[in-house]
Amino acid sequence: MLAAAGGSAPFDELRRSCGRRALERAVEDGEVVRAGHGTYALASVAASHRLSLECGAVLYGRSAALAHGMGVLHRPRPVELAVARGIKVRPRPGATIVTRLLPPQDLWHVGMVTATSPTRTVLDCAAALPFAEALAIADSALRRGLATPEGLEAAAATWTGRNRSAQRLVLDHMDARAANPFESGLRAACLEAGVVLRPQMRIMTAGGPYVVDLGSEDTPVVTEADSFEWHGGREDLHRDCTRYNELVRAGRVVLRFSWEHIMGHRRWVGAVVADVTRAYRHKSAPKRPGTGPFAA
């Protein structure tokens, strides 16, 4: 679960997903460490903290996001660090060190290390990372209460760095309702293809209400980010089949995408969602069957 969440996650999420005892065993085995602020991380993520201390540098970008317990789509390799302008640090294996303006209000102590504040981290990532990566971090910061839309907007108004348009795009589409980075990546693929869907939409069916990952009142199409951990047993399969059939029975068109789809074939995902959405808006079948990287 930690790997799917980008390397770190709050205790409550881990307890619901894998159970307290499994988490305790992972800590005892050294695979997972306590990263502070009720957050647990893979040991490889915690290693970035040690490198930060050795360099006298600040955790920056995705490394800062992980330190705060935000979810990321890809863990950074090498570790992303920053130093204030005028300070020279010799290059270190396993680290990328950039020079940035680092005013005191933009810095937070996370355990024994220093990282850019959650608000600064979201803005840095929004300006520097691909849209899907940045959206996952912004969604996570809002979901965990680490940042607010108002605080991000105020900080963005005084932003002096580059790529304001990329940053603006993330701020316009970030949403605290997104359940996890996996879902944020799926939403980013849809947005990049011109399809706007909202997260965690509640749909009433004959079998009761269901909450779908992404949906809209404007189209019958809903999209689901299917994680393997939720489909590992007979009861899970039964529950999933019931859910799927009830949604179809209610007139919904359900598109399901795997972790591998989102991580490696996002453009194809967006094209599928856009084509199916367009087809159902025109009440016709999809025009291009059998295309895409997974066609026979």
Side-chain angles (χ1 to χ4, degrees), residues 257 261 265 267-272 275 287-296:
F257 299 101
H261 288 143
H265 304 279
R267 184 174 295 181
W268 174 81
V269 169
V272 169
D275 283 353
K287 301 293 185 183
R288 295 178 290 174
T291 61
F294 306 104

Side-chain angles (χ1 to χ4, degrees), residues 165-219:
S165 60
Q167 188 183 84
R168 182 72 260 160
L169 189 64
V170 173
L171 296 183
D172 285 345
H173 291 288
M174 61 187 181
D175 197 316
R177 294 172 295 183
N180 51 55
F182 184 16
E183 183 187 293
S184 296
L186 174 57
R187 193 165 98 260
C190 296
L191 287 167
E192 288 172 330
V195 180
V196 179
L197 301 173
R198 62 182 175 90
Q200 299 300 298
M201 180 179 172
R202 188 172 185 267
I203 296 175
M204 183 57 68
T205 74
Y210 288 95
V211 176
V212 299
D213 289 341
L214 298 173
S216 171
E217 300 295 349
D218 298 329
T219 172

Side-chain angles (χ1 to χ4, degrees), residues 93-106:
T96 295
I97 306 175
V98 298
T99 300
R100 293 289 186 272
L101 285 172
L102 297 171
Q105 66 268 23
D106 282 355

Side-chain angles (χ1 to χ4, degrees), residues 96-181:
T96 295
I97 306 175
V98 298
T99 300
R100 293 289 186 272
L101 285 172
L102 297 171
Q105 66 268 23
D106 282 355
L107 303 179
W108 270 34
H109 293 294
V110 183
M112 295 179 63
V113 300
T114 302
T116 51
S117 69
T119 294
R120 170 68 186 270
T121 299
V122 170
L123 294 181
D124 284 335
C125 292
L129 297 178
F131 176 61
E133 301 271 355
L135 186 67
I137 290 169
D139 286 350
S140 180
L142 295 181
R143 181 172 62 252
R144 293 205 59 203
L146 295 168
T148 65
E150 297 78 14
L152 288 166
E153 289 289 354
T158 61
W159 180 260
T160 58
R162 299 178 179 178
N163 299 332
R164 291 176 66 93
S165 60
Q167 188 183 84
R168 182 72 260 160
L169 189 64
V170 173
L171 296 183
D172 285 345
H173 291 288
M174 61 187 181
D175 197 316
R177 294 172 295 183
N180 51 55

Side-chain angles (χ1 to χ4, degrees), residues 33-69:
V33 298
R34 295 178 179 87
H37 298 293
T39 297
Y40 286 75
L42 295 173
S44 58
V45 172
S48 68
H49 294 203
R50 292 194 293 272
L51 194 54
S52 170
L53 291 170
E54 290 173 7
C55 295
V58 171
L59 291 170
Y60 178 81
R62 287 172 295 177
S63 293
L66 287 169
H68 291 301

